[in-house]
Amino acid sequence: DTYRLATNVSDNSTAGQLLAEFAGAVAERTEGRVEFRMFNDGVLGDQGQYFQQIQRGVIDAGLVNSGTLENVASAVGVMNLPYVFRTSEEYAEVMTAPEVQQALFDATAEHNVVPLGFISSGFRSIYTTEPVESFEDIQGLKLRAIASPTYMEMLSLFGAVPTPLPFGELYAGLQQGIVDGAEGGLAGLYVAQFGEVAKYALLTNQTRLTDFVVTSNRFVESLDPADLEIVQEEFQKISLKSVEFSDASEAADLQKAVDEMGVQVIEVDTAPFIEAVRPMYENARADEAKRPLIEAIFAIENREF
Amino acid sequence: MENPAQSLAGGNTTPAIIKVGRAVEGAIALFLAILLALMVVAISWQVASRYLLNIPSMYSEEFLRFSLIWLGMIAAGYCFVGGRHMSLPLLIDVLPPVPQKILRFINSELSMIFGAILIWGGSTSFVANSKMLTPMTQIPVGWLQSVLIICGAMILIAETIRVLCQLGIVPRDPQAPAPTEGATFGQLAIATLIVAIFGACIVTLWQSDWMSEHVYSSLELTSTIVLFTTFVVFLIIGAPIAIGLAFAGVLTLGLQIDLDVMMPTVGETMFNGLDSFGFLALPFFILAGNIMNATGLARRLIDFAMLLGGRIPGSLWQTNVLANMLFGTLSGSGIASATAIGGIINPVAREKGYNMAMTTAVNAASAPSGMLIPPSGALIVYSLITGGGASIIALFMAGYLPGIIMGLSVMLVAYWYAKKHGYEAESDKPSRAETMRLFMRAAPSLMLVVIVISGILGGAFTAIEGSGIAVVYSLMLALVYRGLNLRKLFEILRDTSIVTGAILFLIAASTMMSWSMTFASIPETVRVLMTSVSDNFIVILLMINLILLVVGVFMDMSPAMLIFTPIFYPIVTELGVDPVHFGVILIYNLALGLVTPPVGTVLFVSCSISGEPISKVIGPLLPIFALQAAGLLLITFVPAISLALPTLFGL
Ligand code: NA
Ligand code: NA
């Protein structure tokens, strides 16, 4: 049968490529019993919108990031905390840990969706139109933030002025000086051509906005158990692959921005950034829904805060 | 025939039920006006807090987005009360009285069914999405979606009252906009029977094995046939166009999903269709235009346009075109322009013995130029559909010359017509002092475009926020000129809400329909088909222009843009067409569609202002349309016309 998989990313994005690979492998191994038809670029709506149809079983599967999921299951918000993952290795270790995966299942179960797994989309950093080198330099800068209280709070704690702006207006916003910079993946400098106007890429690596693929209960129930196992196995493969793959493609895109647009990549001491967001961990620990997950993650990472 | 409702209402005492009805309507109108006013305050605050105070507001964006949906949905419901939704009364007008009344009943019942679908779906969404919160304001999404229930209930109640009025059970309000003629229970019974039989047939057919086999083997073809058949049938019977679009979507979705899950999907996709910050530009630019008009600023623009127009044969026509283009810099709405400028030019033209069919054609054909001349809501909406692939400010710059070409085409035909029929120029070259005087009188309104464009370029606000700034500026002018009191302001806010509601409901319904098309993979099939015909971009662009011209004949701009941009955009950009250039082609093309019957909103409005029947206006429109179409080809194949200005400004 053909199942609909909705995303809001393009075919040639990291997630788009990996999902196409996943769909191909599943179709082959199930001999066409399970075929995914991709609906990329948000043609079936944005993440929060198709999530509603997945809950209802109208759409079979979809890509939702941890930011969207946080609005449904607040525990997921822990994964959006800045510097909760300090390196890619830490990230991979946490995301594949059984207790973390179980926590995710528990958080989403009451919302009528079944998570299939995660796809890494790389670290997010800060890029600006003015020269910056350190924590001090971003004080008071207007940085575009995604519409999420976590991200707004983070940028405030960094000392910047978080500024909401729709993604579609970011290029013009940087160009006309509505904002001085933005928080986001550095690949965007090349892919969305922000590097034409924002020349300074500060390697702050504060968050990893994780993509999850969730499926409807109806999808899981309609599958033969053996086929479901194939689906899960194939997803595991791209999941593991995605950590390296996203880091590599992110780095490659950033390099293109450097070569073709003259973007400067700036190494930065992250210690003051990590210190600045400490209150966010304390708040998460005080939250009943978030405490178990943050403690599980810190235990895996072997850190105090 | 004696109408019991009319005789009842004709007495000296107004029946209590009518008083209640008026009170309810008044309350809804007040709610809409206050909401729109609050939205103006919020967008001003958003700009001021960021640009002036450096403490960007976190919540205003979400507030504005959701307010717009509520404004649109409730105003849409309100439009059903007055029968204000656009429809195509071609067939219904030529029918004899009895079938006509039956058809009206059928339309009412179809609207009621859709109202019921919204109530059903909205209630399901209300419960299902109450645990999902909006990111910033943390309001349950289900609560916000309860506006679907309200809208559905308003449709249901409005149509029920209409039916009761027609039956003479409820007295008709003599002040109500749309006339209702008396009808009998027998006619209602026939209408109900027809709807019931058709409904039963469709439900049976949809659940039959024969149908599901067809759906399974050729989903795209079956869906396409269902979609277009439904839409055309609803168009022919004169149902509101939005209802036709909505049912086209419902029946297509019904092929693939079960009824109980389909209902909330219908409501949610309509709700989501309006969930876009950029749509704010629609009410705000219309509002700015309406305020300018109410305060006598349109008159000043016309006097200014007369400086040049008056010296060309067919002076009033030339002036009308120039004034429409100038008004385009105040408002992104062809309707607002045709109303404001046509409303002043028409009486003068009649007095001076101008051919009124030609006058109407000139006003209609030049009014949409303001949708290309910035600022323009249409260009903003296009930019959003492309996900920012074409920047708004680049589109603004790109729109100038094509907008002027659209207007010049009308001036050329008017000149030729005037020469042929012996119209002369009305005035000589004015004195420098007179020129200066008229320019100074028009300057404050012309400043609007300077403020908006330089504010965007200077980083004070985004193009969308610029629409709110336009409102604030026009309000300031109104204060200075003392052209506005509270009562008048309320009326302007109310009327803007109603016009916006009608447009947004069309957008919502067409989004739902295009969602159902996407769900059935129709766009993908069209894309494959088109690229298999040719991979030459000239051929593809010609094909697209042809399709859009045909589409524009039947569809209004927003729905056409929402449905076809996602289909064509990837095809043309892959062939190397600039996204900004394509946006200009698309909007120019669809702007022509606003003037072509059967669905030409700007033509409707222009005709209703001049009182000329559409059939008489088509003759003079044809040569204008031909020249404008030639302009379309020019714009399509000479990208520089669109791209020179943006390139010059480094955008
Ligand atoms: Na305009
Ligand atoms: Na038309």
Side-chain angles (χ1 to χ4, degrees):
Chain A
D1 282 10
T2 306
Y3 297 95
R4 292 181 176 82
L5 199 166
T7 83
N8 67 333
V9 299
S10 65
D11 311 0
N12 50 16
S13 63
T14 305
Q17 291 178 44
L18 288 170
L19 284 171
E21 191 182 314
F22 157 74
V26 168
E28 200 183 305
R29 281 188 60 195
T30 59
E31 288 157 343
R33 288 188 303 278
V34 182
E35 297 212 24
F36 285 102
R37 185 177 286 173
M38 308 294 297
F39 290 82
N40 288 329
D41 295 312
V43 290
L44 289 180
D46 67 26
Q47 296 192 346
Q49 294 170 357
Y50 56 69
F51 186 80
Q52 295 165 18
Q53 319 304 336
I54 297 171
Q55 288 178 301
R56 200 166 288 128
V58 171
I59 294 173
D60 305 293
L63 188 77
V64 288
N65 64 36
S66 45
T68 306
L69 228 42
E70 181 179 357
N71 297 323
V72 187
S74 68
V76 180
V78 169
M79 294 180 185
N80 296 325
L81 290 175
Y83 298 109
V84 77
F85 312 111
R86 293 164 300 187
T87 61
S88 296
E89 292 72 37
E90 237 174 37
Y91 175 78
E93 200 180 346
V94 170
M95 293 305 292
T96 50
E99 61 266 42
V100 172
Q101 297 202 329
Q102 190 55 47
L104 182 69
F105 267 89
D106 294 345
T108 51
E110 62 165 325
H111 296 283
N112 292 322
V113 296
V114 185
L116 204 53
F118 76 98
I119 297 178
S120 165
S121 52
F123 273 115
R124 292 169 68 89
S125 288
I126 288 171
Y127 44 92
T128 60
T129 52
E130 293 168 37
V132 282
E133 278 177 0
S134 63
F135 184 76
E136 280 68 39
D137 291 344
I138 66 160
Q139 302 304 303
L141 288 191
K142 275 186 207 157
L143 299 182
R144 183 260 174 180
I146 53 176
S148 145
T150 309
Y151 278 76
M152 302 271 178
E153 190 187 358
M154 173 185 80
L155 288 178
S156 294
L157 290 171
F158 285 173
V161 180
T163 308
L165 196 69
F167 187 75
E169 291 212 72
L170 180 50
Y171 185 94
L174 289 165
Q175 189 178 34
Q176 320 303 347
I178 288 174
V179 288
D180 307 309
E183 190 276 347
L186 295 180
L189 289 170
Y190 177 75
V191 179
Q193 308 200 309
F194 298 142
E196 288 175 357
V197 282
K199 301 290 184 194
Y200 306 93
L202 198 63
L203 283 176
T204 44
N205 287 343
Q206 64 273 14
T207 55
R208 276 187 99 103
L209 197 63
T210 303
D211 289 322
F212 293 96
V213 169
V214 296
T215 64
S216 68
N217 286 337
R218 199 174 137 252
F219 168 77
V220 174
E221 283 154 17
S222 77
L223 248 52
D224 188 80
D227 286 343
L228 182 60
E229 206 163 297
I230 293 176
V231 170
Q232 285 164 339
E233 271 176 31
E234 287 303 324
F235 198 85
Q236 280 288 321
K237 284 187 199 164
I238 64 158
S239 225
L240 290 173
K241 197 171 162 186
S242 72
V243 179
E244 266 180 60
F245 190 88
S246 64
D247 284 347
S249 79
E250 191 98 348
D253 282 335
L254 181 57
Q255 191 56 45
K256 284 188 207 156
V258 170
D259 296 341
E260 296 172 27
M261 299 165 174
V263 167
Q264 252 177 279
V265 180
I266 302 139
E267 302 273 353
V268 66
D269 175 19
T270 54
F273 290 89
I274 299 178
E275 186 55 36
V277 297
R278 194 198 271 256
M280 297 180 79
Y281 299 145
E282 280 152 19
N283 287 341
R285 279 208 169 101
D287 185 335
E288 283 300 322
K290 292 178 180 167
R291 192 192 310 129
L293 189 55
I294 193 168
E295 284 180 349
I297 292 178
F298 280 7
I300 297 167
E301 295 178 351
N302 202 9
R303 65 194 263 200
E304 288 296 319
F305 88 90
Chain B
M1 191 169 68
E2 173 72 350
N3 185 335
Q6 265 164 1
S7 57
L8 230 175
N12 284 331
T13 51
T14 311
I17 191 159
I18 288 184
K19 283 186 185 159
V20 172
R22 284 182 193 164
V24 172
E25 274 189 55
I28 300 170
L30 190 65
F31 171 82
L32 291 173
I34 291 175
L35 184 58
L36 184 55
L38 283 177
M39 289 163 64
V40 175
V41 172
I43 202 159
S44 314
W45 167 245
Q46 180 166 310
V47 173
S49 68
R50 188 186 57 233
Y51 187 66
L52 301 176
L53 309 175
N54 209 25
I55 37 161
S57 68
M58 305 285 174
Y59 304 103
S60 54
E61 189 194 335
E62 245 178 49
F63 169 79
L64 282 161
R65 259 170 53 209
F66 295 126
S67 297
L68 182 78
I69 304 178
W70 276 66
L71 183 85
M73 281 295 188
I74 292 177
Y78 189 81
C79 287
F80 277 91
V81 177
R84 291 183 181 89
H85 279 291
M86 271 172 282
S87 65
L88 184 65
L90 281 188
L91 176 70
I92 216 165
D93 282 354
V94 297
L95 284 179
V98 172
Q100 201 180 83
K101 285 171 188 168
I102 294 173
L103 207 49
R104 283 193 204 283
F105 277 136
I106 291 179
N107 282 334
S108 284
E109 288 176 0
L110 290 170
S111 293
M112 282 187 217
I113 292 174
F114 190 67
I117 291 177
L118 283 183
I119 295 175
W120 180 350
S123 318
T124 313
S125 301
F126 178 74
V127 178
N129 299 328
S130 63
K131 279 188 270 178
M132 179 185 240
L133 305 178
T134 62
M136 291 308 301
T137 44
Q138 299 278 304
I139 300 170
V141 172
W143 295 8
L144 293 169
Q145 287 169 336
S146 67
V147 73
L148 295 165
I149 307 174
I150 301 175
C151 179
M154 285 171 81
I155 298 175
L156 210 56
I157 293 168
E159 295 298 332
T160 308
I161 293 175
R162 189 198 310 283
V163 167
L164 293 179
C165 276
Q166 275 162 299
L167 293 173
I169 295 171
V170 169
R172 194 183 76 84
D173 187 344
Q175 291 174 8
T180 36
E181 283 165 31
T184 64
F185 276 98
Q187 290 157 352
L188 177 64
I190 295 173
T192 313
L193 197 65
I194 293 175
V195 171
I197 290 174
F198 264 95
C201 286
I202 284 175
V203 171
T204 317
L205 185 63
W206 257 229
Q207 290 175 342
S208 67
D209 292 341
W210 181 80
M211 198 67 171
S212 50
E213 222 165 84
H214 273 270
V215 171
Y216 190 78
S217 59
S218 53
L219 172 63
E220 294 89 343
L221 185 67
T222 321
S223 302
T224 309
I225 293 172
V226 167
L227 197 83
F228 284 103
T229 315
T230 314
F231 182 57
V232 168
V233 167
F234 274 72
L235 207 60
I236 290 174
I237 65 170
I241 293 161
I243 294 287
L245 287 170
F247 270 96
V250 167
L251 294 185
T252 315
L253 278 179
L255 291 171
Q256 302 178 75
I257 21 182
D258 298 334
L259 205 62
D260 58 330
V261 292
M262 188 190 78
M263 298 297 176
T265 300
V266 166
E268 282 164 14
T269 45
M270 286 185 73
F271 181 91
N272 296 339
L274 298 185
D275 186 3
S276 169
F277 194 72
F279 287 150
L280 285 165
L282 299 175
F284 285 156
F285 279 134
I286 295 175
L287 181 59
N290 284 346
I291 294 172
M292 289 275 186
N293 190 22
T295 49
L297 290 163
R299 175 105 240 169
R300 293 156 183 259
L301 284 182
I302 291 173
D303 291 342
F304 180 59
M306 194 73 186
L307 283 177
L308 180 62
R311 290 151 62 191
I312 311 173
S315 296
L316 278 178
W317 295 330
Q318 310 294 356
T319 304
N320 192 341
V321 177
L322 287 168
N324 267 336
M325 282 156 62
L326 286 174
F327 198 86
T329 64
L330 311 181
S331 164
S333 156
I335 296 175
S337 187
T339 316
I341 306 298
I344 299 173
I345 295 272
N346 275 323
V348 185
R350 180 166 292 116
E351 196 180 296
K352 297 203 169 178
Y354 275 63
N355 177 318
M356 285 314 285
M358 181 65 183
T359 307
T360 312
V362 165
N363 185 37
S366 60
S369 62
M371 310 187 91
L372 282 161
I373 295 173
S376 150
L379 292 168
I380 291 179
V381 170
Y382 169 78
S383 166
L384 288 170
I385 301 175
T386 67
S391 96
I392 298 175
I393 187 73
L395 282 164
F396 274 12
M397 291 300 159
Y400 268 113
L401 292 178
I404 292 171
I405 288 179
M406 182 178 280
L408 277 182
S409 310
V410 187
M411 289 176 74
L412 270 173
V413 176
Y415 176 83
W416 166 80
Y417 188 99
K419 277 284 181 193
K420 190 174 153 198
H421 294 90
Y423 290 81
E424 306 208 336
E426 305 221 335
S427 58
D428 298 322
K429 190 173 173 11
S431 70
R432 184 170 296 172
E434 180 68 359
T435 308
M436 220 33 222
R437 191 182 71 82
L438 291 175
F439 174 73
M440 289 314 288
R441 269 168 51 87
S445 23
L446 295 175
M447 271 303 285
L448 180 100
V449 69
V450 178
I451 288 172
V452 170
I453 299 282
S454 61
I456 298 168
L457 285 174
F461 42 78
T462 68
I464 299 164
E465 289 165 347
S467 64
I469 300 304
V471 174
V472 174
Y473 180 73
S474 56
L475 274 173
M476 273 163 41
L477 285 191
L479 276 182
V480 172
Y481 293 124
R482 298 172 198 284
L484 217 51
N485 55 33
L486 214 56
R487 172 91 221 159
K488 208 164 174 185
L489 182 64
F490 162 74
E491 283 169 4
I492 291 175
L493 286 167
R494 178 197 60 196
D495 295 347
T496 305
S497 306
I498 289 171
V499 171
T500 308
I503 297 173
L504 289 182
F505 196 61
L506 263 178
I507 292 180
S510 71
T511 309
M512 195 263 282
M513 182 181 103
S514 68
W515 198 88
S516 78
M517 284 170 73
T518 308
F519 198 76
S521 298
I522 296 174
E524 188 57 36
T525 313
V526 173
R527 195 173 306 159
V528 172
L529 253 175
M530 278 187 67
T531 41
S532 72
V533 172
S534 167
D535 58 358
N536 179 318
F537 85 95
I538 293 184
V539 178
I540 294 274
L541 279 181
L542 274 176
M543 236 158 62
I544 288 177
N545 267 322
L546 207 65
I547 294 174
L548 287 175
L549 278 175
V550 174
V551 163
V553 168
F554 297 102
M555 251 188 223
D556 211 52
M557 182 181 264
S558 303
M561 204 152 70
L562 285 161
I563 293 170
F564 289 96
T565 313
I567 301 180
F568 294 146
Y569 182 77
I571 302 178
V572 296
T573 46
E574 212 156 281
L575 292 171
V577 177
D578 190 283
V580 171
H581 179 210
F582 183 64
V584 172
I585 297 175
L586 185 85
I587 288 165
Y588 187 105
N589 193 320
L590 293 176
L592 297 188
L594 293 176
V595 189
T596 52
V599 185
T601 42
V602 173
L603 181 64
F604 290 171
V605 168
S606 305
C607 287
S608 75
I609 292 169
S610 70
E612 289 292 295
I614 291 177
S615 49
K616 276 178 75 179
V617 179
I618 292 175
L621 259 182
L622 280 176
I624 300 178
F625 188 74
L627 201 59
Q628 284 180 330
L632 174 62
L633 283 180
L634 196 68
I635 287 159
T636 305
F637 296 112
V638 187
I641 296 174
S642 317
L643 300 179
L645 273 180
T647 314
L648 191 71
F649 281 85
L651 296 166

